[in-house]
């Protein structure tokens, strides 16, 4: 007997010690003031009102006003303690909330299930990723920041409790209710993430709720539909499922939700719900774990809960137990403080009143829970309640900083689980012919569009597998995107048998990268991965996930994520191959790189002003900083007829940008190889110039426009009829032939030998009378001749082979009609002086046209994204996409102003900022910056000091080239000035 008594005493001491080791998370900083407020409010309440405080009722803010009459009655007449909101928009919820709070004697405690933020963006996407996605992130500071942001959302909306984080350890892939809501299967990872999330949210002043106690991770049934069973031993549950709770409680967890589960090892009564179990709620949670925060039931409306009250009335007489409200009473007597989502709160309160009168509920027990609820209300500021401010509510909830965080989270989460022969990230793009195939039942267009920003990628579709295999014969790399719905975390994630058959067969015949835009468990049914060279898990099919995953595949962002759960037999939890960025351009929000989105949006106004005032029919505008494209917009149309809107894939005649995008990189490459030098003279490089007035002109001087060369020679003019001023039949034919084979425009062919005549005219041309800075196209006619002779190839093939293919600049080309549809090519002019027709898909520059569209000074067509790639390569001192194209010292050598003392701002090939008040830039950027402009309205500039690339493409020459309002009104440089004003760090 003494031994038994001793055991009881030791157990009591153990409980006491356990509780003493945990803090009371409901205590405010000003404990005495809090205690005084709690006591004063408690003493004003009737017994019925005290009981009302124990109930938190679900309200749909999407319901009609008439549907909420009963809710107003519950607040006004029954004094319920709180509300959990579901379904509806923020403004409806805020308005309804203010009305309900206004009639409540004690301010209501407001809760929400906002595990991944509030679904209130205009496109109805969730604010943040699922927990499973967060579980893949190594940086716990990001998880804490996520909790804080979500807490800030809740607080702004008048929400005091967020029923998060979920700390269930999801060890069962078939779990229908947890899955994506869990941080994973590893107890330490779940604990670390749950703790970080909790701290962040509670730092924002919103109380956290860990759920679902004692652990909902290993079930195969939906607790909303039945009573799932957790079959683990008590030892296993203590060491795994309870582990996160133990750690969070030590760190000040505010509340716990008890699950709707059957746990035989913890509750001996067969089929008895955990939320009704005194042993689970009181003995384990309160006593063993020492939890002093609020304890919520899971929804008491869950199917089957009431079926169990007859099995053990636990001290309640049968009349109370078997009438409505008995389930609420049993939950309370088990140790819960808040009855969440009672089937009928009116009956529940009535049953509590009966139990109180029958001494089943004592004053001590009632006071214990009600005062805990009031303590929570004080802690969240309800002692000085203020209504939710309705003005700017949407703006305060849809915040730019949340989008920035969301992007960062996805970048850190996406996981590479396989990369045979280092296939990822994709490099050597000149050797790749890439196809994209979409599997799954959701949209993958954002993924495909982002892939195309890096190189040429074709989407393959067919109804039959044989047709797919046939089409793929022309490709050596296939990216398969498995896209499943992102509408909510419970959506299906499995491959169909047909999709698996297609996957196996495509992988058997091709090099494949599989990207899974669904939970990792999708890989469980993939029987073999032997033939799949690369596998990426992107977790969700959101637009952000799709874009970031495409960037990761091409190495624009590094691979950081690790699987939070095991994915089939091949990829255990923790799998995650790592690699760094290979310095491709990535894409994201300005705030990632120290720019202000709102200030940057001022560019829209200037671009629209230019279009609306007919300075140009349309514009492509791009800004990148620190290797990230942070502004890329299109304005206007191809022409003033307004039939074709400008699209990012449309290509423009970039005119003189050809000089630095085409001729210059090829020359720089030869210079660093020693084939030429800046001091090489024309007479030494090219025999025809030996003995001419140009033989001593150096490359440095002529590319600095400081060689007395004539600015321009109108070569075409001599080929026009002297009377009609139209192309002279002596030089032109309307049909191609062996003699007339230089295509100037459609149905107009120049005599072959006239290209030689152009070079002869340049060789024989007079020099200017004095040495001074004069811009000239002639050096690039000369260098084109030299480079084509050196490589024994036409200039278009040289640039393509040596730069564009490997850069993934597949929109950059000479003679675009050979590769692109006219609907994707922006026209440049209605020619009324040479070709006498609309110039569309042919180079605008007359001299380049007379060279078959391939000039050293003009002829290249491109889009803003491709131009940015080449400028970024220069900015990165010749390195891009994991490859060194040029040496750093080579870039520096050409990006030097050698004749500044002679009032010549130019570098070697590159234009440079003005030396005085007027010039090619806004005058607000560093002297190390460089770029060029083009006659058609184009402009590209890079600044190494601020790491900015700016690209402006236009066709201001359409329909007439004479007016240049873009230049007169400084549109391009005004935009540049606004870019620099948007720098905040």
């Amino acid at each position: 007997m003494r031994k038994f008594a001793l055991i009881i005493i030791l157990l009591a001491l153990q409980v006491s010690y356990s509780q003493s080791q945990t803090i009371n998370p409901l205590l405010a900083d000003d404990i005495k003031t809090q205690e005084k407020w709690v006591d004063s409010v408690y003493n004003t309440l009737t017994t019925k009102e005290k009981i009302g405080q124990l109930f938190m009722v679900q309200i749909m803010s999407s319901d009609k006003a008439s549907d909420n009459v009963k809710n107003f009655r519950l607040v006004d007449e029954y004094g319920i303690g709180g509300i959990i909101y579901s379904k509806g928009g923020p403004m409806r919820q805020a308005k309804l909330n203010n009305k309900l709070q206004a009639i409540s004697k004690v301010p209501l405690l407001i809760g929400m299930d906002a595990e991944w933020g509030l679904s209130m963006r205009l496109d109805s996407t969730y604010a943040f990723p699922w927990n499973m996605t967060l579980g893949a992130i190594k940086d716990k500071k990001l998880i804490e920041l996520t909790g804080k942001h979500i807490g800030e959302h809740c607080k702004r909306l008048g929400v005091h409790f967020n029923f998060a984080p979920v700390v269930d350890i999801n060890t069962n892939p078939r779990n229908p209710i947890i899955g994506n809501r869990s941080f994973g299967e590893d107890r330490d990872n779940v604990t670390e993430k749950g703790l970080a999330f909790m701290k962040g949210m509670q730092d924002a002043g919103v109380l956290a709720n860990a759920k679902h106690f004692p652990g909902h991770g290993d079930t195969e049934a939906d607790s909303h539909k039945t009573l799932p069973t957790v079959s683990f031993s008590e030892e296993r549950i203590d060491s795994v499922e309870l582990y996160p709770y133990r750690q969070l409680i030590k760190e000040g967890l505010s509340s716990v939700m008890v699950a709707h589960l059957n746990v035989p090892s913890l509750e001996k009564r067969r089929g008895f719900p955990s939320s009704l179990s005194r042993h689970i709620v009181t003995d384990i949670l309160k006593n063993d774990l020492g939890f002093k925060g609020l304890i919520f039931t899971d929804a008491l409306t869950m199917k089957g809960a009431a079926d169990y009250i007859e099995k053990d009335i636990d001290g309640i007489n049968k009349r109370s137990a078997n009438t409505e409200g008995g389930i609420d009473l049993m939950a309370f007597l088990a140790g819960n403080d808040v009855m969440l989502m009672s089937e009928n709160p009116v009956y529940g309160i009535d049953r509590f009143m009966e139990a109180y009168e029958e001494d089943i509920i004592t004053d001590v027990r009632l006071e214990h829970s009600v005062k805990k609820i009031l303590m929570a209300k004080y802690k969240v500021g309800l002692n000085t309640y203020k209504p939710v401010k309705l003005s700017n509510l949407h703006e305060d909830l849809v915040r730019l900083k949340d989008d920035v965080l969301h992007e960062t989270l996805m970048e850190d989460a996406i996981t590479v689980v396989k990369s045979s022969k280092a296939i990822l990230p994709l490099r050597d793009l000149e050797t790749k012919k890439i196809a994209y195939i979409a599997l799954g039942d959701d949209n993958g267009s954002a993924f495909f569009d982002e892939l195309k920003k890096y190189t040429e990628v074709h989407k393959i579709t067919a109804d039959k597998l044989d047709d797919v295999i046939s089409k793929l014969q022309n490709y050596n790399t296939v990216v398969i995107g498995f896209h499943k719905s992102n509408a909510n975390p419970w959506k299906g994630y499995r491959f169909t048998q047909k999709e698996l058959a297609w996957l196996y067969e495509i992988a058997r015949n091709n090099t494949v990268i599989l990207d899974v835009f669904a939970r990792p468990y999708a890989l469980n049914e993939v029987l073999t991965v032997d033939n799949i060279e690369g596998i990426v898990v992107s977790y969700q099919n959101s637009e952000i996930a799709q874009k970031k995953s495409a960037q990761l595949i091409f190495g624009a962002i590094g691979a950081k994520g690790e699987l939070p759960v095991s994915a089939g037999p091949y990829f255990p939890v923790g799998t995650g191959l790592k690699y760094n960025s290979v310095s491709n351009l990535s894409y994201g929000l300005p705030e990632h790189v120290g720019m202000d989105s709102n200030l940057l949006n001022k560019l829209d106004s200037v671009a629209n002003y230019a279009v609306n005032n007919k300075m140009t029919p349309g514009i492509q505008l791009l800004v990148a900083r620190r290797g990230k494209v942070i502004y890329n917009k299109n304005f206007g149309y191809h022409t003033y007829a307004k039939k074709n809107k400008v699209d990012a894939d449309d290509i423009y005649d970039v005119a003189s940008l050809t000089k630095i995008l085409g001729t210059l990189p090829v020359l720089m490459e030869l210079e660093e190889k020693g084939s030429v030098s800046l001091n090489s003279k024309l007479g030494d490089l090219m025999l025809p110039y030996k003995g001419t007035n140009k033989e001593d002109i150096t490359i440095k001087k002529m590319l600095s426009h400081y060689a007395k060369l004539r600015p321009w020679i109108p070569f075409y003019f001599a080929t026009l009829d002297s009377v009609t001023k139209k192309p002279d039949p002596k030089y032109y034919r309307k049909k191609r032939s062996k003699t007339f084979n230089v295509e100037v425009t459609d149905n107009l062919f120049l005599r072959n030998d006239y290209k030689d005549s152009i070079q002869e005219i340049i060789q024989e041309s007079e020099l200017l009378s004095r040495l001074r800075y004069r811009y000239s196209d002639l050096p690039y006619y000369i260098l084109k001749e030299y480079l084509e002779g050196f490589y024994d190839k036409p200039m278009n093939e040289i640039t393509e082979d040596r730069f564009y293919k490997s850069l993934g600049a597949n929109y950059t080309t000479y003679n675009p009609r050979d590769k692109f549809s006219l609907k994707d090519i922006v026209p440049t002019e209605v020619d009324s002086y040479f070709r006498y027709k609309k110039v569309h898909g042919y180079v605008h520059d007359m001299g380049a046209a007379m060279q078959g569209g391939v000039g050293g000074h003009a002829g290249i067509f491109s889009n803003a994204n491709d131009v940015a790639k080449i400028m970024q390569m220069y900015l990165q001192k010749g390195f891009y996409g994991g490859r060194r194209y040029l040496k750093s010292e080579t870039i520096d050598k050409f990006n030097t102003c050698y004749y500044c003392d002679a009032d010549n701002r130019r570098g070697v090939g590159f234009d440079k900022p003005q030396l005085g008040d007027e010039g090619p830039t806004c005058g607000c950027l560093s002297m190390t910056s460089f770029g060029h402009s083009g006659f058609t309205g184009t402009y590209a500039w890079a600044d190494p000091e601020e790491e900015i690339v700016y690209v402006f493409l236009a066709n201001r020459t359409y329909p007439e080239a004479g007016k240049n309002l873009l230049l007169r009104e400084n549109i391009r440089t005004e935009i540049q000035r606004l870019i620099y004003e948007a720098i905040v760090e």
Side-chain angles (χ1 to χ4, degrees), residues 37 43 164-165 337 449 501 564 609 638 775 840 865:
W37 183 85
N43 292 333
D337 299 305
D449 289 343
Y609 172 79
H638 286 203
Y775 179 78
H840 191 188
N865 191 60

Side-chain angles (χ1 to χ4, degrees), residues 920-938:
T921 74
C922 60
C924 56
L925 65 169
S926 73
M927 292 304 293
T928 60
S929 69
F930 57 92
H932 217 284
S933 60
F935 184 77
T936 53
T938 57

Side-chain angles (χ1 to χ4, degrees), residues 168-172 175-178 212-221 223 226-238 240-242 259-269 271-274 280:
D168 295 313
I169 298 168
N170 203 82
T171 51
N172 189 337
N175 193 323
I177 197 61
I178 303 300
H212 307 81
F213 188 85
H216 208 319
D218 192 353
T219 62
E220 294 187 26
S223 55
T226 186
L227 183 69
T229 295
V230 175
S231 301
F232 294 130
S233 69
E234 186 174 359
E235 291 74 20
R236 149 66 196 245
I237 292 173
D238 182 70
V240 177
E241 276 71 20
L242 296 185
H260 179 62
L261 294 171
N262 174 38
V263 191
S265 66
L266 302 184
E267 172 54 63
K268 303 307 179 185
R269 288 167 291 188
F272 200 80
S274 51
I280 290 174

Side-chain angles (χ1 to χ4, degrees), residues 598-700:
N598 293 323
L599 293 176
L600 209 53
N601 283 337
K602 291 182 179 180
L603 275 59
D604 295 21
S605 299
V606 180
N608 283 320
Y609 172 79
V611 169
N612 294 338
N613 286 276
K614 295 191 174 181
M615 300 179 190
T616 177
I619 296 169
Q620 280 183 2
L621 187 52
L622 181 148
V623 181
R625 191 182 191 208
R626 299 174 186 167
K628 189 180 293 288
V629 176
I630 42 93
Y631 182 101
N632 190 7
K633 295 184 181 180
N634 310 298
F635 303 87
Y637 296 81
H638 286 203
T639 70
Y640 292 119
K642 296 185 176 181
K643 290 182 179 179
N644 298 317
K645 282 188 174 182
V646 176
D647 183 77
D649 291 342
D650 292 334
I651 58 174
Y652 281 82
D653 181 338
V654 302
S656 283
L657 293 191
T658 299
K659 295 177 173 71
I660 65 170
L661 302 180
T663 303
L664 196 61
V666 178
L667 181 68
M668 293 166 84
E669 188 180 47
L670 287 185
E671 192 277 339
E672 69 179 30
K673 290 179 179 178
S675 300
V676 299
S677 76
L678 294 188
N679 294 316
S680 294
K681 297 178 180 180
L682 285 182
D684 296 329
L685 292 176
M686 303 173 71
L687 187 61
Y689 283 89
K690 194 75 173 176
T692 70
N693 58 0
K694 302 173 184 65
E695 67 174 345
D696 291 327
I697 293 176
T698 64
I699 286 177
K700 181 167 71 175

Side-chain angles (χ1 to χ4, degrees), residues 297-590:
T297 67
D298 205 338
L300 292 173
T301 54
M302 284 187 170
K303 186 173 177 61
D307 298 341
Y308 305 98
I309 62 174
E310 288 187 3
K311 296 182 179 180
D312 192 321
I313 60 175
D314 209 12
I316 310 172
N317 65 46
K318 275 191 175 279
R319 184 178 61 79
S320 292
N322 291 328
T323 53
E324 291 199 58
I327 191 74
D328 305 303
L329 184 54
M330 290 186 70
F332 180 69
L333 293 176
N336 294 286
D337 299 305
V338 182
M339 311 309 112
L340 185 67
M341 296 168 60
S342 170
E343 185 77 41
N344 191 322
V346 172
Y347 286 131
I349 292 171
D350 288 345
R351 295 294 77 74
F352 274 55
M353 285 296 294
E354 291 179 12
Y356 178 79
E357 291 167 0
E358 296 170 3
D359 290 329
I360 296 172
I361 296 177
T362 65
D363 284 315
V364 173
R365 175 68 185 91
L366 185 60
E367 180 179 1
H368 172 75
S369 287
V370 175
K371 284 194 172 182
K372 283 173 69 178
I373 292 167
L374 293 176
M375 287 174 71
K377 290 187 176 185
Y378 183 93
K379 185 158 187 175
V380 298
L382 285 175
N383 56 309
T384 56
Y385 164 76
K386 293 179 182 178
V388 178
K389 187 177 71 172
L390 301 181
S391 59
N392 299 318
L393 179 62
H394 186 271
E395 292 78 3
D396 292 343
L397 293 173
V398 184
R399 306 177 307 180
L400 187 59
K401 72 176 188 177
D402 299 318
D403 295 330
V404 173
L405 177 57
H406 196 161
E407 281 195 357
T408 303
L409 293 170
M410 289 311 308
E411 285 188 7
D412 278 42
I414 298 171
T415 306
V416 177
V417 298
K418 186 178 181 184
S419 180
S420 296
K421 297 180 181 178
I423 189 174
L424 292 170
L426 286 174
R427 309 188 206 202
D428 302 322
L429 299 182
E430 72 276 19
T431 67
K432 303 289 192 299
K433 292 202 68 177
I434 302 174
Y436 161 71
I437 292 177
L439 298 179
D441 54 13
D442 206 21
N443 192 298
S445 58
F447 181 55
F448 177 52
D449 289 343
E450 201 78 358
L451 290 172
K452 291 192 297 178
K453 290 179 180 178
Y454 291 95
T455 191
E456 190 170 11
V457 180
H458 296 142
K459 185 174 183 179
I460 303 299
T461 59
D463 294 329
K464 295 180 180 179
L465 177 58
D466 289 345
D467 294 337
V468 171
I469 298 299
S470 177
K471 291 181 179 181
L472 290 177
Q473 289 178 357
N474 296 322
Y475 299 89
N476 58 22
T477 306
V478 181
V479 178
I480 298 178
F482 179 58
H483 302 278
K484 299 297 288 185
S485 175
N486 199 62
N488 64 58
W490 299 280
K491 284 288 186 178
Y493 60 90
R494 291 184 172 91
F495 286 91
T496 65
Q497 288 304 308
K498 176 184 176 182
E499 288 167 343
L500 288 171
W502 281 40
L503 174 62
Y504 299 145
E505 190 62 16
I506 293 169
R508 191 175 67 82
N509 288 277
N510 300 87
T511 297
V512 164
I513 296 168
L514 172 64
D515 201 330
V516 177
F517 294 94
R519 67 184 75 173
Y521 295 139
L523 292 171
N524 286 356
E525 296 175 14
V526 179
L527 299 178
T528 176
V529 297
D530 290 346
N531 292 327
I532 305 174
E533 283 73 16
I535 301 178
V536 180
V537 177
S538 296
Y539 299 98
Q540 298 182 228
N541 200 41
S542 64
E543 185 173 316
I544 294 175
Q546 291 186 43
K547 289 181 176 181
K548 291 301 175 183
S549 196
Q551 293 173 34
L552 178 140
I553 284 173
F554 283 99
I557 60 176
K560 303 176 184 177
E562 294 183 0
L563 285 180
V565 295
S566 298
Y570 315 103
F571 309 115
V573 60
T575 300
L577 304 176
K578 310 294 191 299
Y579 55 74
N580 295 323
S581 163
V582 296
S583 299
N584 278 330
L585 281 172
S586 63
Y587 302 82
L589 292 166

Side-chain angles (χ1 to χ4, degrees), residues 7-79:
I7 292 172
I8 295 297
I9 292 170
L10 289 173
L11 288 173
L13 287 173
Q14 184 179 356
V15 168
S16 176
Y17 177 78
S18 173
Q19 291 181 338
S20 68
Q21 294 305 299
T22 59
I23 61 176
N24 186 340
L26 302 179
L27 289 176
D29 293 334
D30 50 341
I31 298 174
K32 290 185 178 180
T33 307
Q34 180 188 33
E35 183 180 357
K36 184 177 180 181
W37 183 85
V38 168
D39 287 343
S40 65
V41 172
Y42 186 80
N43 292 333
T44 66
L45 300 177
T46 67
T47 301
K48 186 176 181 180
E49 289 170 338
K50 291 173 183 175
I51 291 170
Q53 289 294 305
L54 305 173
F55 286 78
M56 180 172 273
V57 177
Q58 184 183 37
I59 291 181
M60 309 287 187
S61 60
S62 58
D63 288 347
K64 296 178 182 177
S66 57
D67 295 332
N68 279 313
V69 171
K70 64 178 181 180
N71 297 321
F72 280 85
R73 181 171 173 242
L74 285 170
V75 173
D76 188 29
E77 296 182 22
Y78 286 85

